[in-house]
C-alpha cells in the first residue's frame, strides 16, 4: 500500500537482522523449581507426570494444530494432547508467572505463547519441533491476554492486561516492536487483524469496541483508534466479533443480538423474528468461513446466517432492529456453554473443535447435510474451581469434587466407597465398582468398565458441607458445615447418626488425631479463628430420642488472638525474643530458690532493668483472620496457617488444660511458638500435606512448596530451606487440595483454575544420594510469650527445656569437634612452615579465573630493557553487548486507503427540477468562490510562514551559552538527563574502554606470538650456523648469537603445565635430596615428601635444562667431526690442486653463509625490538586516553548516584504530566464531539425553520389574493394549542433569543401580528364558516397540525442544543483547570530539572588540558588560579567570530528587504482603495437596476431558492416512478390471472367430461343391478318350486 511504501522510502539505520535458521535453546529459557541455595535439595524432587484437568473458563483455551494434536493452557504449562495416543507433552512458562494466551500462525508452522508476570515474555515456538524460535520482550507490564497473527503471518498483535492495557504490533521474526498504543482504560478481551486489510485492527472488551488503523502522519506511522459509539443501543461487553471484507464489523452482545458496525456507529441491530434474540445469552464468537457467517453462543447453539443479507442490512424503523432468520443451526447439547471454536482439516474434510465452558471439548461437523455427524464429546472435565481431592489409602484411586455438580474419578483399580458433601447440606455415600469383577492392574485406565451407585444419602446440615473426615479406625464419620455444626455418624453397613455439636463458627477443616496419639480426638478448625478438640463420641452414651444434639461432650476451645503486631514492633528478631525468654527463665528460677530458702520475694529482687521506651500501640484486626488449614503436632497441640493480616507465619498452639471459661467468644488464646515462613505475607499457605519426611504446602498463588524435615517436629531451621514450583495459575489457581498416593510414589494437586496435576516423587534413596552433607546452623528458640510466665506455664515448658538442653549438648559436642579440627589444621600449617621452601605446600587460590578475559602478559625486548604488558581484563557481561534500543522504523508496505466511498444515487428529474438544481449549484459555486476568497484574505496579525520558520530556526541555532550555574538557565528537553540515559552512557563508555583494551591486548599478544616465532626461527638459524661452522676453522668462526628466552611472565599459561616425565624426574631429585637431608638432619615428614613432587617445575628450569642438553649435544657433534677429520688426515694423502680449489670455494661459501645468518639473526632481533618500542609508544597514548576515560567514568557514576536519588520524584512529576496530557486529549476529543453535535443540532434547527417558512408560504399561496376569510383562517392557523410538554421543554431550553428570531422570521414573511387577532377573542376553529371553501379550511387545519409538529421538534432540538451547550461549557472549565494544572506541573518539573542540574554542577569534573590549549592570560602570564576561566572549544570560538561578520551582512540585507516590502505595502493600500470605490459603484448600479425593474430591493438567492418546491417536485417524480412500476407489476399480475383462468377453464372442462362419464357409469350400474335382482327372484321362485315338488314326492312315498 501507499502509506507503507512511503514509510519504506525513509532512510533507515541498517540493523543486524536475526537469521531465519536461528533458534533458542528450550533448556535455557524454561522456568525451573526454586531451591534454597546450599540446601542440597534435588531440583528433580517432583516431576510432572500427567495433567487431568482443563481450564475451560478461559475465553480461548483450545488450539488445534493438526488432525491429531490439541494445545491448551494448564496453569504454568502448555499441554500438547495427542488425540490418537492420548499422550501429553508439556511446555513450561519461561518466567513462572503463568500463561495468558496461545495462538497459532496461519501456516500452523508456529504458535505463540503469551505469558504473565513482571515484564512477561511472548515466545514463538516452532511446530512440531517445539523449539523456541523467537522471544518478544517489552510488550506489557503484567500479563498478555490475547494475540493474533495477520493473514500473511508477518505481524503479530498482542494485548496486555492492567495496568497498561497495551496494544503492540510486532515484527516478530526480528523481535522488534513496530507500533504500540494503549488500547483502552478497562479490560480488553480480544484483538484481531482484518483478513482483507492488514493495516486495520479491531479490539473489544468491557463496554467497548475500537477500530484501529495504521496511519502515516508527519511523525511517522502511528496507530489511530476510533471508539465505537453505541448511540441509542445499550452499552454491552463485546466478547466476539468478526471483520467483513468491506470494512464493516459484526459483533455480539450480552443479550444475544448482533450489531452491525459501520464507520464507528451501529448501522443496525439484528434479531430473529418476533424480536427474539439471535442467541439466548451472550454471543461468544463470530466466524466468517467460506462466505458464511457463523455465530457461537453461550446457549449451546451454533447458527449459520446469510452473509449477503446481513452485509446489506439496514434499519427499517425507529427501533433500529432488523429481523433475520438463520439458514442452519446446531444444538450441541444440554448444559452446554460454548466459548470458542476452531477449524482444522482432517483428510480434506473440515472438522471443528469447540471449547465448552461447562467442562468439555467437542468435535463438531458443520456441513449441515444428510451425512452430517452428531456432536461428539471428546473429553469432560470440571468447570471452574475444584473444591477438594482425595485418594484411596489402599490403591490408585483419586476423586475430585467441584461446584459444577460433578465428581471425577480419573483412574480406578479397586472398588471403594466415597463420601461426598453437597451445597444443600446432603451427604451421599457413593460406591465405585467394576461390574465385571475383573482384576485390573495398577496404573491402567479401565474407567469404561467402572460404574457408580449411590449407596446412601442423608442430610445432616442446613447449609453447605465444607469438611468430612473418617476416624483413624474408620468407625466414625464427622461432617462439618457452614451452619456451625459438626455431625457424627457410626460407620456400619448403613451409616447411623450419633449426634451433632455446635461450634462457634463455620467449619473450615476437620482432622482426626493420628494413630500415634493414644486418644482419638477430632480437631475442628473454624473460619473465624476458633479451634476445638472433642473426643470421638460413643453411640450408646448419648440419648437421641428428642434431639441429636450432644450437650455433654467434653470440648476444648482455642480462640486465636493476633500477635503479629507484637512480632513486628521494633522489628523484633527471634534472637532478641530468645534473650527475653532466657531472662524470664532466670527470674522464675530465682523466685523458686528464694521460696525454698524461706525468704520473702520482696526482700532480694534482681536488679531492675532500665526502663525501655514505650512501644507503639499494638494492632489487632477487627475481624479475626481466617484459618486456612492446620494439623496435629502432638496430643493437645497443633499448627495453624492463617490468612488475612496474620499470614506469614505458622503458629504452634495448645489447648489449655485448665479451661474454666464458659463463653468461648471472650477467650484470647495466643500461640506458644511462631515460625516465620518466607514469602507468605501476601501468599499464605492454603493446604498442608505430609509424605515421608516431606511437608507439601499449597500456596495461594498456585505454587507448590516442599520442606524437607529432619524429624516430625517443625523448627525455624527446617522451614528455612525449601523447594518451590509454580504449577497452577498464579492469579486464580490457589491450591485447593494436596494428596499423596497410598505408596507415597505420586503426589496430586488440584487448584482453583480447574487443573489437576500428578507428580512423581523422587524415591528416598535418590533424595539421600543427592542431599549434600552440611553443618547444621544454630537452632533458634521459638517465639515465647512476651508477658510474664505463670508457674503453671513454667511447668508446661519443662519438656521444652529438656529438649533445648539436649540440643545444646549436641551443639557443644559439634563445637568441640570443630575446635579439634581447627587445632589440627593449625598444626599442619605450622608443620608446613617448618619445611624447606621448595617442599612447602602453597595455598594458591585462583578465584574467578573463568571470568578473566585477559591475564597480565609482559612482553620483553630482546636487546634492551623495554617491555610492554597487557591490560588485565574481566569478561564483560552479555548485556553490555546487546544493542541499545533505537527508534523502531517500520518496514510495512502500502498506504492507508479510504475504507469507504460514498455511493451517489442518480435520479432523473424533470426539467424544472434540473433547472432549479443548476441555479442552486450556480449560487453555491459563487458562495464557495467568495468563501475561498475570504479565506485567502490574511488576518491583521498574519505572519508569513517562511518568516516564522526563519525566526524559529534562528532562535534554535543562534546559540545560548548561558552557564549551567546561572539561575536563568533552563535545561533543554533533549539535554535532560535521567537514570536510563546515564546508565546507557556508562555502558557505552565501559564497552568502548573494553574494546580499546581488548584491541591493544590482541596486538600485544600478536607481538608475543611474533617473539615466539622469532625464537623458533633463531633456533633453526643457530642450528644451521653450527652446521656451517663445523666446516670452518676455529679462528674463522664468528661468535654464536644468543638464543632469546621467554620470560615466565610472558607465558603465564604455562605455569601449571607438566607431564609425567617431569614429575618422575622431579620425584627422583626430591628423593635424592631427602636421603641427603636424612643423613644430615634426620627423617623429615613423609607426607611432605610424598606431596612435594606434585609441584611442577617452572618453564625457566625446563628451558635451562633443554639449553644445556643442546649445548652438550653440539659439543659432542663437533668433537666427533674433529676426530673424523683427524682419522681422514692420517689415512688420506695430501689433496690435489682441484680438491684445494673446491675446498677454497666451499670455505668462501661457508664464510658468506655464516655472515648472512648472523646478520639475519641480528636483523630479526632489531626489528622485534623496534616493533615493541613502537607498540609501547602506542600503548602509552592509550594509557592517557584510558586515564581520561576513567576520570569521566567516575564523574558519570557520581552523576548516576545523584540521578538515582532524584529519579523517584522526577518520575512522579512526569507521570502526573503524562496523565494530565492524556486527560486533556480525551477532553479535547469530547469537546470536538460536542461541537460536532451542536453543529448538527444547529443544522436541524435551520432545516425546521426553513420548513416553517415553507409552510407559511404554502398557506399564503393557498389563500390567494383578496380572500375574505384570510383573517379567520390565519387565526385558525396560528391558534396556540396548550402543550404541557412543550412548555417544560421551552422552560428547560431557555432559548429566548432564538424564539425572538423565530418571531422575526415569521413576521418577515408578511404575516403581521395584527392580522392574527386578539388573544382574548373567542372563536370556534372546528366549524367551517359559511361560504368558505371546505377544502381550504381542512387544508388550514392540516397546516396547523404540521406547524405544531414542527414547533415541537424545534423545541426539542433547541433543548438538546442547550444541554450540549451546558455540557460543552462545563467541559471547557475542566479543560482550563487541567491546562492550569498542567502548566503548574510543567513548571515544577522545569524547576526540578534546574535543581537537579545544580546538584550535578556541584560535582568536580576533570578536564586535562595542554599548555597550548590555554589562552587565559593575565598581564601576559598564565595565572595560578583558573577558577574564573571558561573551558570553550576552539571551533566554537572561531564560529562565533565568523558569526559577527555574518550578522552584519544579514542586517544590511534585511534592511533592503524591508524597504522593498514597505514600497509594496504602499502600492497594495492604493490598489485596495481603488477596488473599494469600484465595488461601491457596482453596488449602486445593481440597486438602481433592481428599483427600476422590481420597485424594491430583492434577494435574488431567496427568490431563486423559493421559486420551486424542489422537495415536492422530487416526490412527484417518485410517485410517477412508483406508478409506472406498479402498472408493470399490475400488468404482470393480470397476465398471471388470465393464465390461471385458462387453466381453471381447462380443468373445469376435464371435470365436466369426467362427471358425464361417471353419470353414464352410474346408469349402467343401475341397469345391471335391476337385471341381477330379477335373475335372483327367478332363481328363488324356481328353487321354491323344486323344493315344494320334492317335499310332495317325499310325503307321497
Amino acid at each position: 500500500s501507499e502509506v507503507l511504501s512511503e514509510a519504506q522510502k525513509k532512510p533507515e539505520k541498517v540493523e543486524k537482522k536475526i537469521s531465519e535458521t536461528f533458534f533458542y535453546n528450550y533448556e535455557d529459557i524454561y522456568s525451573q523449581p526454586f531451591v534454597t541455595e546450599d540446601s542440597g535439595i534435588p531440583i528433580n524432587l517432583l516431576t510432572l507426570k500427567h495433567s487431568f484437568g482443563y481450564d475451560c473458563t478461559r475465553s480461548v483455551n483450545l488450539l488445534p494444530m493438526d488432525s491429531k494434536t490439541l494445545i491448551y493452557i494448564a496453569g504454568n504449562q502448555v499441554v500438547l494432547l495427542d488425540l490418537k495416543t492420548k499422550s501429553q507433552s508439556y511446555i513450561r512458562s519461561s518466567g513462572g508467572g503463568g500463561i495468558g494466551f496461545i495462538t497459532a500462525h496461519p501456516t500452523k508452522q508456529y504458535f505463540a505463547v503469551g505469558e504473565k508476570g513482571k515484564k512477561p515474555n511472548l515466545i514463538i515456538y516452532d511446530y512440531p519441533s517445539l523449539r523456541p524460535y523467537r522471544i518478544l520482550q517489552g510488550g506489557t507490564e503484567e500479563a498478555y491476554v490475547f494475540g493474533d497473527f495477520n493473514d500473511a503471518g508477518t505481524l503479530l498483535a498482542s494485548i496486555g492486561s492492567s495496568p497498561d492495557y497495551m496494544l503492540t504490533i510486532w515484527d516478530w521474526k526480528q523481535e522488534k516492536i513496530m507500533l504500540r498504543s494503549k488500547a483502552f482504560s478497562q479490560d480488553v478481551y480480544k484483538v484481531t487483524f482484518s483478513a482483507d486489510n492488514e493495516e486495520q485492527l479491531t479490539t473489544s472488551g468491557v463496554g467497548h469496541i475500537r477500530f484501529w488503523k495504521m496511519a502515516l502522519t508527519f511523525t511517522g506511522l502511528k496507530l489511530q483508534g476510533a471508539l465505537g459509539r453505541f448511540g441509542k443501543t445499550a452499552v454491552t461487553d463485546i466478547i466476539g466479533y468478526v471483520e467483513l471484507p468491506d470494512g464493516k464489523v459484526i459483533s455480539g452482545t450480552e443479550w444475544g443480538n448482533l450489531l452491525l458496525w459501520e464507520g464507528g456507529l451501529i448501522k443496525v441491530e439484528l434479531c430473529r423474528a418476533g424480536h427474539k434474540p439471535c442467541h439466548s445469552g451472550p454471543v461468544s464468537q463470530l466466524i466468517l468461513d467460506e462466505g458464511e457467517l457463523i455465530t457461537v453462543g453461550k446457549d449451546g447453539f451454533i447458527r449459520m446466517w446469510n452473509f449477503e443479507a446481513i452485509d446489506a442490512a439496514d434499519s427499517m424503523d425507529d427501533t433500529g432492529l432488523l429481523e433475520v432468520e438463520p439458514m442452519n443451526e446446531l444444538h450441541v447439547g444440554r448444559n452446554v456453554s460454548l466459548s470458542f471454536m476452531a477449524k482444522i482439516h482432517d483428510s480434506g474434510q473440515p472438522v471443528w473443535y469447540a471449547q465448552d465452558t461447562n467442562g468439555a471439548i467437542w468435535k463438531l461437523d458443520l456441513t449441515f447435510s444428510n451425512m452430517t455427524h452428531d456432536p461428539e464429546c471428546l473429553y469432560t472435565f470440571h468447570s471452574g474451581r475444584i473444591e477438594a481431592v482425595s485418594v484411596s489409602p489402599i490403591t490408585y484411586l483419586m476423586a475430585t469434587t467441584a461446584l459444577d455438580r460433578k465428581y471425577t474419578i480419573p483412574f480406578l483399580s479397586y472398588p471403594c466407597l466415597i463420601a461426598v458433601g453437597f451445597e444443600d447440606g446432603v451427604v451421599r455415600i457413593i460406591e465405585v465398582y467394576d461390574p465385571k469383577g475383573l482384576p485390573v492392574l495398577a496404573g491402567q485406565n479401565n474407567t469404561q468398565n467402572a460404574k457408580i451407585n449411590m449407596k446412601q444419602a442423608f442430610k445432616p446440615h442446613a447449609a453447605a458441607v465444607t469438611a468430612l473426615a473418617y476416624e483413624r479406625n474408620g468407625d466414625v464419620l464427622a461432617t462439618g458445615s457452614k451452619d456451625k455444626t459438626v455431625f457424627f455418624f457410626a460407620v456400619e453397613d448403613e451409616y447411623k447418626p450419633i449426634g451433632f455439636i455446635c461450634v462457634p463458627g463455620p467449619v473450615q477443616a476437620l482432622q482426626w488425631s493420628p494413630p500415634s496419639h493414644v486418644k482419638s480426638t477430632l480437631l475442628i478448625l473454624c473460619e473465624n479463628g476458633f479451634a476445638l478438640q472433642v473426643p470421638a463420641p460413643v453411640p450408646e452414651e448419648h440419648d437421641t430420642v428428642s434431639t441429636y444434639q450432644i450437650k455433654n461432650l467434653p470440648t476444648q476451645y482455642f480462640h486465636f488472638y493476633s500477635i503479629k503486631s507484637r512480632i513486628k514492633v521494633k522489628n523484633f528478631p527471634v534472637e532478641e525474643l530468645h534473650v527475653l525468654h532466657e531472662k524470664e527463665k532466670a527470674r522464675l528460677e530465682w523466685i523458686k530458690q528464694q521460696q525454698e530458702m524461706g525468704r520473702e520475694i520482696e526482700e532480694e529482687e534482681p536488679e531492675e532493668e532500665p526502663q525501655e521506651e514505650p512501644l507503639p500501640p499494638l494492632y489487632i484486626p477487627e475481624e479475626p483472620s481466617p484459618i486456612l488449614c492446620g494439623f496435629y503436632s502432638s496430643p493437645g497441640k497443633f499448627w495453624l496457617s492463617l490468612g488475612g493480616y496474620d499470614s506469614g507465619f505458622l503458629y504452634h498452639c495448645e489447648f489449655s488444660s485448665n479451661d474454666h471459661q464458659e463463653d468461648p467468644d471472650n477467650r484470647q488464646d495466643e500461640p506458644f511458638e511462631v515460625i516465620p515462613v518466607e514469602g507468605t505475607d501476601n501468599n499464605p499457605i492454603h493446604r498442608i500435606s505430609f509424605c515421608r519426611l516431606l511437608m507439601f504446602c499449597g500456596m495461594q498463588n498456585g505454587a507448590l512448596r516442599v520442606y524437607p524435615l529432619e524429624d516430625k517436629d517443625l523448627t525455624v531451621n527446617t522451614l528455612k530451606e525449601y523447594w518451590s514450583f509454580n504449577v497452577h495459575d498464579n492469579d486464580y489457581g490457589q491450591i485447593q487440595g494436596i494428596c499423596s498416593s497410598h505408596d507415597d510414589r505420586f503426589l496430586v494437586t488440584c487448584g482453583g483454575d480447574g487443573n489437576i496435576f500428578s507428580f512423581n516423587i523422587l524415591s528416598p534413596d535418590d533424595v539421600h544420594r543427592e542431599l549434600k552433607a552440611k553443618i547444621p546452623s544454630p537452632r533458634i528458640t521459638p517465639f515465647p510469650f512476651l508477658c510474664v510466665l505463670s508457674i503453671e506455664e513454667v511447668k508446661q515448658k519443662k519438656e521444652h527445656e529438656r529438649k533445648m538442653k539436649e540440643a545444646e549438648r549436641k551443639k557443644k559436642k559439634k563445637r568441640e569437634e570443630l575446635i579439634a579440627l581447627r587445632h589440627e589444621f593449625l598444626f599442619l600449617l605450622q608443620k608446613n612452615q617448618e619445611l624447606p621452601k621448595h617442599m612447602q605446600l602453597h595455598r594458591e587460590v585462583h578465584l574467578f579465573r573463568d571470568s578473566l578475559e585477559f591475564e597480565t602478559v609482559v612482553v620483553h625486548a630482546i636487546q634492551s630493557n623495554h617491555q610492554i604488558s597487557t591490560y588485565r581484563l574481566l569478561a564483560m557481561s552479555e548485556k553490555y553487548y546487546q544493542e541499545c534500543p533505537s527508534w523502531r522504523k517500520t518496514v510495512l508496505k502500502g498506504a492507508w486507503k479510504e475504507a469507504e466511498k460514498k455511493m451517489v444515487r442518480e435520479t432523473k428529474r424533470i426539467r424544472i427540477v434540473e433547472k432549479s438544481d443548476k441555479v442552486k449549484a450556480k449560487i453555491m459555486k459563487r458562495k464557495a468562490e467568495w468563501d475561498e476568497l475570504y479565506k485567502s484574505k490574511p488576518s491583521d496579525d498574519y505572519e508569513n510562514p517562511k518568516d516564522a520558520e526563519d525566526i524559529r530556526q534562528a532562535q534554535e541555532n543562534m546559540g545560548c551559552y548561558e552557564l549551567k550555574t546561572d539561575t536563568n538557565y533552563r535545561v533543554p528537553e533533549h539535554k535532560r538527563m535521567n537514570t536510563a540515559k546515564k546508565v546507557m552512557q556508562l555502558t557505552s563508555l565501559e564497552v568502548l574502554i573494553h574494546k580499546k583494551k581488548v584491541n591493544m591486548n590482541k596486538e600485544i599478544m600478536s607481538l608475543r606470538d611474533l617473539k615466539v616465532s622469532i625464537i623458533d626461527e633463531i633456533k633453526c638459524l643457530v642450528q644451521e650456523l653450527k652446521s656451517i661452522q663445523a666446516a670452518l676453522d676455529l679462528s674463522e668462526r664468528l661468535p654464536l648469537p644468543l638464543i632469546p628466552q621467554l620470560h615466565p611472565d610472558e607465558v603465564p599459561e604455562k605455569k601449571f603445565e607438566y607431564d609425567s616425565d617431569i614429575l618422575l624426574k622431579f620425584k627422583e631429585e626430591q628423593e635424592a635430596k631427602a636421603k641427603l637431608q636424612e643423613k644430615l638432619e634426620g627423617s623429615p615428614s613423609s607426607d611432605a615428601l610424598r606431596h612435594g613432587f606434585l609441584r611442577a617445575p617452572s618453564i625457566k628450569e625446563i628451558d635451562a635444562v633443554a639449553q644445556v642438553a643442546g649445548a652438550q649435544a653440539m659439543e659432542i657433534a663437533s668433537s666427533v667431526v674433529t676426530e673424523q677429520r683427524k682419522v681422514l688426515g692420517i689415512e688420506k694423502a695430501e689433496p690435489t690442486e682441484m680438491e684445494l680449489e673446491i675446498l677454497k670455494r666451499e670455505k668462501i661459501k661457508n664464510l658468506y653463509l655464516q655472515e648472512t645468518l648472523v646478520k639475519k639473526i641480528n636483523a630479526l632481533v632489531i626489528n622485534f625490538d623496534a616493533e615493541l618500542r613502537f607498540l609501547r609508544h602506542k600503548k602509552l597514548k592509550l594509557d592517557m586516553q584510558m586515564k581520561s576515560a576513567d576520570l569521566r567514568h567516575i564523574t558519570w557514576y557520581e552523576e548516576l548516584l545523584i540521578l538515582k536519588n532524584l529519579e523517584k520524584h522526577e518520575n512522579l512529576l512526569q507521570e502526573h504530566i503524562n496523565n494530565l496530557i492524556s486527560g486533556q486529549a480525551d477532553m479535547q476529543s469530547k469537546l470536538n464531539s460536542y461541537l460536532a453535535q451542536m453543529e448538527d443540532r444547529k443544522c436541524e434547527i435551520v432545516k425546521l425553520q426553513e420548513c416553517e417558512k415553507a409552510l407559511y408560504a404554502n398557506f399564503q399561496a393557498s389563500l390567494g389574493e383578496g380572500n375574505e376569510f384570510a383573517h379567520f383562517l390565519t387565526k385558525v392557523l396560528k391558534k396556540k394549542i396548550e402543550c404541557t410538554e412543550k412548555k417544560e421543554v421551552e422552560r428547560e431550553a431557555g432559548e429566548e433569543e432564538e424564539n425572538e428570531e423565530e418571531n422575526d422570521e415569521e413576521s418577515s414573511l408578511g404575516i403581521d401580528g395584527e392580522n392574527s387577532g386578539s388573544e382574548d377573542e373567542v372563536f370556534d376553529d372546528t366549524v367551517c364558516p359559511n361560504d368558505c371553501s371546505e377544502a381550504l379550511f381542512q387544508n388550514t387545519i392540516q397546516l396547523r397540525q404540521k406547524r405544531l409538529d414542527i414547533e415541537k421538534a424545534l423545541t426539542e432540538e433547541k433543548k438538546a442544543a442547550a444541554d450540549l451547550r451546558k455540557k460543552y461549557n462545563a467541559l471547557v472549565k475542566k479543560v482550563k483547570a487541567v491546562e492550569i494544572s498542567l502548566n503548574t506541573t510543567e513548571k515544577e518539573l522545569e524547576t526540578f530539572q534546574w535543581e537537579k542540574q545544580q546538584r550535578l554542577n556541584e560535582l568536580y569534573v576533570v578536564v586535562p588540558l595542554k599548555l597550548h590549549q590555554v589562552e587565559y592570560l593575565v598581564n601576559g602570564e598564565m595565572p595560578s588560579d583558573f577558577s574564573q576561566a571558561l573551558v570553550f572549544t576552539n571551533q566554537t570560538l572561531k564560529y562565533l567570530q565568523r558569526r559577527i561578520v555574518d550578522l552584519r551582512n544579514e542586517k544590511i540585507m534585511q534592511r533592503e528587504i524591508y524597504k522593498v516590502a514597505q514600497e509594496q505595502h504602499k502600492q497594495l493600500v492604493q490598489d485596495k482603495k481603488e477596488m473599494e470605490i469600484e465595488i461601491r459603484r457596482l453596488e449602486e448600479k445593481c440597486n438602481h437596476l433592481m428599483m427600476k425593474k422590481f420597485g424594491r430591493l430583492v434577494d435574488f438567492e431567496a427568490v431563486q431558492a423559493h421559486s420551486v418546491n424542489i422537495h415536492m417536485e422530487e416526490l412527484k417524480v417518485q410517485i410517477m416512478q412508483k406508478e409506472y412500476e406498479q402498472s408493470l407489476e399490475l400488468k404482470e399480475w393480470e397476465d398471471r390471472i388470465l393464465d390461471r383462468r385458462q387453466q381453471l377453464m381447462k380443468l373445469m372442462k376435464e371435470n365436466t367430461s369426467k362427471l358425464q362419464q361417471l353419470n353414464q357409469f352410474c346408469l349402467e350400474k343401475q341397469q345391471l343391478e335391476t337385471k341381477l335382482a330379477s335373475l335372483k327372484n327367478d332363481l328363488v321362485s324356481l328353487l321354491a318350486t323344486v323344493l315344494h315338488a320334492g317335499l310332495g314326492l317325499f310325503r307321497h312315498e
Side-chain angles (χ1 to χ4, degrees), residues 238-258:
I238 296 179
I239 305 173
Y241 63 85
V242 66
E243 298 93 345
L244 303 184
D246 58 354
K248 299 187 187 74
V249 174
I250 301 178
S251 70
T253 59
E254 294 179 78
W255 55 86
N257 282 351
L258 303 179

Side-chain angles (χ1 to χ4, degrees), residues 504 523-526 528-533 555-563 627 636-640 642 651-656 659 664-673 785:
L523 177 64
I524 305 171
L525 304 178
C526 301
N528 56 354
F530 278 93
L532 294 84
Q533 179 177 260
T555 305
Q556 293 177 292
Y557 292 90
F558 185 95
H559 190 191
F560 184 88
Y561 186 73
S562 177
I563 61 171
I627 296 178
K637 298 179 181 179
F638 55 96
W639 291 92
L640 291 180
L642 283 84
Y651 301 92
H652 203 180
C653 308
E654 184 179 10
F655 291 107
S656 177
D659 188 4
D665 293 332
N666 296 329
R667 297 177 63 91
Q668 292 184 355
D669 300 308
E670 297 178 352
F672 67 92
E673 183 180 1
F785 284 106

